[in-house]
Amino acid sequence: MSATVLVAAAQALTLADGPKDRSRAGAAQAELGLRRDLSVVMQDGRITWIGREQDRPATPGATEVDCRGQALLPALVDSHTHLVWGGDRKDELELRLGGADYEHIFAAGGGILSSVRQTRALTDDELLAESAARLRRMQRSGTTTVEIKSGYGLDLATEQRQLRIARRLAQETGARVRTTCLAAHALPAELRGSPEGRAEFLRRVCLEILPAIAAEHLADYCDVFCDRGAFTPDESRQILLAARALGMLPRLHANEFGHTGGALLAAELGALSADHLLHLDDAERAALRDAGTIATLLPGTSLVLGKPFADGRALVQAGVPVAVASDCNPGSCALENLALVLALACYGCKLSPAEAICAVTHNAACSLGLQGELGRLEVGMSADVLVLATPDYRDLVYHAGSPLIAAVYQRGQPIG
Ligand code: NIG
Ligand code: FE
């Protein structure tokens, strides 16, 4: 395939100067490897040359795209989504805007369980179509890699269907997809109301659902909703250890509603990522730092639920690597635009724009084990590049929500 050259970008965030094989924390989180007058040659899906325009070798037959006056950065990596779901919960949104509480709606059998009912009721083709529409909007907003969790099945057949559809979405859209089994997202309605039902669900997850998912290689990771009203740290530990023995690495929904033990469990298990973290003290931050666990902040969810924002500043100061993701899901946050969520991470979590850029590129790629492929602009990396219609990346925060994306390249091809 012929080459495409992005010519003479006014500003390029290469992220090429800090650590490459691991996530960045503290001062390194703001190290963007900023270059001026930079050109990028993309061929066969890879970056094959990068440097100052004046040094660029001749590339006969290449398509040249003038990027003067524009900024380049790695395309965004959304490392926490629940993208495959059926139906919607716009009725709950209105209830919450009228004062109803997310945890109450959940405890009363709405919330996640409402999405489980709607997801179970759809055919595979319907689920694929609804999810693909969302993923295409994400791509147009600058995201080319996405982690997708199950968790709206809560039974083997539907969890499998969700994960198979997540894999099919990669073929359907060209996006890179990593999958996570979140069978322990909520106790299913059919097993509620007795301790025996709860024990039976844990048995099913560990002895039936996870082994079947592993046998079909449907999930790269395992996640648990470890919080008040969902699963305890002891239950979560049991599930994540069972998953790890089957080859699925742990990540965790932790400390969204309180100091509920999730962050400490994530550190204890050396989880790749602990996510949400609205409530975090010094000891919990130190535990995450010492374990090398990435703190994945989801500020869109705080905005939508009217909850406090995670303290990103304290995490950076404590030396914990920070990623930022959309959490795109039918209930607590259906935002698809990670570039907008990046701005929320600045306004809400008090990250600097530079720290937030690293959080949605290199650090997010690290949390998915993709740091050798994505998250930096360097020779050999996948040609996933975001072109901004402005010469200064800080406009993503300054003018948050404006149409600032000039082009998105996924494996060297423009997204239409
Ligand atoms: O990450 N907190 C748990 N799970 C999702 C919400 C899922 C839902 O409400 O459907 C989250 O916010
Ligand atoms: Fe989530």
Side-chain angles (χ1 to χ4, degrees), residues 48 81 98 105 123 235 391:
T48 55
T81 85
I105 296 173
T123 65
E235 292 167 341

Side-chain angles (χ1 to χ4, degrees), residues 157-211:
T158 319
E159 291 288 311
Q160 281 173 319
R161 286 195 319 120
Q162 276 194 281
L163 291 167
R164 288 189 198 120
I165 288 164
R167 296 271 200 235
R168 275 173 69 193
L169 281 171
Q171 286 128 40
E172 190 85 1
T173 65
R176 252 189 206 72
V177 171
R178 303 290 268 175
T179 54
T180 301
C181 180
L182 177 59
H185 196 191
L187 199 60
E190 57 273 20
L191 292 173
R192 285 191 166 219
S194 73
E196 294 75 27
R198 199 170 177 89
E200 169 59 13
F201 184 64
L202 287 182
R203 193 196 64 76
R204 280 187 204 171
V205 171
C206 293
L207 298 180
E208 291 172 11
I209 299 181
L210 290 174

Side-chain angles (χ1 to χ4, degrees), residues 16 25 43 46 59 88 120 253 264 278 281 291 320 323 349 358 395 407:
Q43 184 147 25
R46 301 263 147 203
T59 38
D88 67 68
R120 286 179 180 176
H253 280 73
L264 293 176
L278 270 50
D281 60 27
V320 182
C349 306
C358 177
D395 284 333

Side-chain angles (χ1 to χ4, degrees), residues 385-406:
V385 185
L386 183 49
V387 185
L388 301 182
T390 156
D392 185 342
Y393 75 92
R394 294 174 301 176
D395 284 333
L396 286 173
V397 181
Y398 197 53
H399 296 301
S402 291
L404 293 167
I405 294 182

